[in-house]
Amino acid sequence: MQPNPAGSAAAEAAITLAEDGPTRATVVDATGRERLRLHDGYARHGTLRLSIATSTIPSGRYYLVVHTPTDVQVVELEVRK
């Protein structure tokens, strides 16, 4: 995740997927509420690159959560404006 902490510009994430298949990438807040949906569809194994529009969410601690058929990856993101 770059930059982290992020400001008003977009943050970029590169997630390594071990398999092809349906993939969902969301940004959730500390309560688990979905704040952004970044990807919801088929993805191929390898690197999934995501751009997070941090200008659309307030300052705080968030989590990028990526679900694949057999895996869940979580990356912490802090937004400071």
Side-chain angles (χ1 to χ4, degrees):
M1 181 79 61
Q2 292 182 14
N4 196 8
S8 294
E12 303 291 329
I15 304 295
T16 302
L17 303 178
E19 61 191 326
D20 296 352
T23 302
R24 182 177 354 180
T26 58
V27 174
V28 299
D29 62 21
T31 67
R33 181 175 153 221
E34 183 178 305
R35 301 303 299 253
L36 298 170
R37 185 166 294 193
L38 306 175
H39 182 88
D40 194 5
Y42 188 84
R44 296 188 54 85
H45 72 282
T47 303
L48 177 64
R49 297 192 185 282
L50 300 165
S51 179
I52 303 165
T54 55
S55 63
T56 64
I57 54 177
S59 296
R61 188 171 310 273
Y62 298 92
Y63 301 90
L64 168 61
V65 183
V66 180
H67 292 265
T68 67
T70 62
D71 191 25
V72 176
Q73 296 182 52
V74 179
V75 180
E76 188 174 314
L77 168 65
E78 185 173 346
V79 176
R80 291 186 197 161
K81 295 183 182 177

